[in-house]
Amino acid sequence: MTALLDKLQETGGLERAEWLRLLNAWDTPLRDDAMARARSVTQSVYGRDIYLRGLIEISNHCKNNCYYCGIRAGNRKAVRYRLLPEDILACCAEGYALGLRTFVLQGGEDPWFTQQRVVQLVRDIKAGWPDVAVTLSLGEWPRESYAAFREAGADRYLLRHETASPTHYARLHPPALTFAQRSACLYTLKDLGYQTGAGLMVGSPGQTGDSLADDMLFLQALQPQMVGIGPFIPHRDTPFANAPAGSAEQTLYLLALVRLLLPAALLPATTALGTVAADGWERGVLAGANVIMPNLTPEGPRANYQLYNHKNATSARERDAIAGRMAAIGYTVAAGRGDHAAYLPQHATTTI
Ligand code: 5AD
């Protein structure tokens, strides 16, 4: 197996049968080997810097009905909210004062947030704080909308692919949502010049070694700048209420493999990983993660942004505590936007 890790590092990819072997037959020593390699790869690209992103959960209204998600349209028990643009700008002001230089606007697919409203929001944030990066995580849109958001100044877009197996995708989503559509959105985002994020839940119902091999081959082909990987965690008011949660151990293994596959990727130690393990963020960083996404959503609505139960969100107000936790494992919370290492903003190439 270590020969496969060598090959992955040397050639930047594996064939399907090789991925399958690596994904199916792993144990703690192999995981620890992958994690040690992943740490050293991360350090060679980004040093020991950890980037913070301020997460603003702008709405939990959603027109979709994904079977795993607590804010699915069919969950009548969810207490719905949406932040007004002025509330969102207030979150940015607070985050900026805390030193954050990336804001992530995440929400369900809420029809109130029309293309025009999102465009205005992005413009307002960029006008108010020109030195921040704006990341959107607002689901699937037509190309024109993604282009309009980009034109307004959006820098990055997170859209987890969830699973790259079409049959597994159909097990997790209603028929209106397809992997073909999700994949097309991701390629469009990359084409429009977004730093683009894909990703998946580890241990989602029906996930197999085969579907994970599909995921790795998809990431290998897409070459996203960001990848979000966290364990699946059941939500009591969804069809998967009784499914077991994904394990921290397997999540760390996959995180490490993705780091070896994509050396320059921005990889978060996710909220879900921090939920299944109290030291999930630290262990994520030690498996190659270099991003942490503390929460900037006001406390009232935040309690209702429940994609899964027992969500353990850490407030951006605890910035010093987060920095302390990183310092304790030898890492430093960095200032600045923390762009993808291979990403050069256009002005950097034209002003010489
Ligand atoms: N457990 C873990 N992650 C979840 N997400 C949605 N529901 C769950 C759940 N029950 C993840 C999805 C989505 C991201 C915003 O949150 O991968 O893309």
Side-chain angles (χ1 to χ4, degrees):
M1 290 293 174
T2 60
L4 288 180
L5 295 181
D6 288 341
K7 179 177 176 189
L8 175 57
Q9 289 193 259
E10 280 158 23
T11 68
L14 293 176
E15 285 162 29
R16 183 182 181 81
E18 297 170 326
W19 276 123
L20 264 177
R21 279 167 57 207
L22 213 45
L23 291 162
N24 280 331
W26 62 276
D27 52 12
T28 306
L30 178 65
R31 190 205 57 185
D32 290 348
D33 184 4
M35 283 176 62
R37 291 169 186 244
R39 280 200 289 282
S40 106
V41 169
T42 313
Q43 286 171 25
S44 71
V45 181
Y46 289 103
R48 288 169 168 269
D49 284 353
I50 301 297
Y51 303 116
L52 297 188
R53 318 306 196 190
L55 180 62
I56 308 172
E57 294 150 336
I58 68 171
S59 171
N60 72 351
H61 290 263
C62 192
K63 63 175 198 239
N64 292 332
N65 213 13
C66 307
Y67 304 145
Y68 47 83
C69 184
I71 65 168
R72 63 203 300 270
N75 181 7
R76 306 282 290 275
K77 293 190 184 161
V79 179
R80 305 287 170 174
Y81 74 87
R82 75 171 56 88
L83 301 185
L84 297 171
E86 56 261 41
D87 302 326
I88 298 167
L89 295 172
C91 293
C92 295
E94 186 188 3
Y96 195 90
L98 288 164
L100 299 176
R101 294 296 178 268
T102 292
F103 300 123
V104 181
L105 309 187
Q106 183 176 98
E109 293 194 12
D110 176 357
W112 189 87
F113 279 99
T114 57
Q115 176 183 316
Q116 188 47 43
R117 282 188 171 122
V118 175
V119 161
Q120 195 55 50
L121 194 53
V122 173
R123 281 201 193 122
D124 288 348
I125 295 172
K126 289 298 230 181
W129 302 276
D131 58 332
V132 307
V134 171
T135 304
L136 300 178
S137 179
L138 300 172
E140 297 185 358
W141 294 75
R143 183 183 176 101
E144 308 80 73
S145 304
Y146 286 148
F149 305 155
R150 180 96 184 99
E151 188 76 14
D155 302 279
R156 312 189 186 124
Y157 204 103
L158 302 177
L159 182 69
R160 289 193 182 172
H161 68 282
E162 313 297 358
T163 172
S165 152
T167 52
H168 186 216
Y169 201 92
R171 168 119 193 242
L172 299 178
H173 302 93
L177 301 173
T178 62
F179 174 66
Q181 181 58 36
R182 182 58 57 109
S183 169
C185 285
L186 282 160
Y187 277 94
T188 299
L189 289 164
K190 269 207 90 186
D191 187 51
L192 289 169
Y194 283 95
Q195 295 170 59
T196 300
L200 65 141
M201 295 175 286
V202 177
S204 63
Q207 187 171 71
T208 60
D210 270 291
S211 73
L212 286 171
D214 289 339
D215 289 322
M216 300 311 259
L217 291 169
F218 178 71
L219 295 174
Q220 194 171 312
L222 177 67
Q223 295 285 312
Q225 286 86 1
M226 307 177 281
V227 185
I229 301 176
F232 161 77
I233 303 173
H235 185 292
R236 69 177 79 85
D237 303 313
T238 64
F240 294 143
N242 297 318
S247 80
E249 279 64 33
Q250 192 183 9
T251 303
L252 293 165
Y253 181 53
L254 290 172
L255 199 50
L257 292 184
V258 170
R259 169 60 69 203
L260 300 182
L261 173 65
L262 302 168
L266 296 159
L267 298 181
T270 55
T271 305
L273 181 57
T275 296
V276 296
D279 57 353
W281 282 0
E282 286 86 346
R283 292 168 76 193
V285 167
L286 297 175
N290 63 336
V291 169
I292 286 189
M293 299 171 68
N295 202 293
L296 275 175
T297 315
E299 265 159 53
R302 186 192 302 172
N304 292 319
Y305 196 81
Q306 281 216 24
L307 308 185
Y308 45 82
N309 291 132
H310 312 296
K311 183 178 122 192
N312 177 21
T314 300
S315 169
R317 285 189 210 108
E318 295 173 51
R319 189 183 198 273
D320 293 346
I322 297 168
R325 286 172 63 176
M326 293 301 112
I329 54 169
Y331 288 77
T332 313
V333 165
R337 294 174 25 138
D339 283 296
H340 183 256
Y343 176 78
L344 276 180
Q346 240 154 27
H347 59 79
T349 56
T350 52
T351 54
I352 297 168

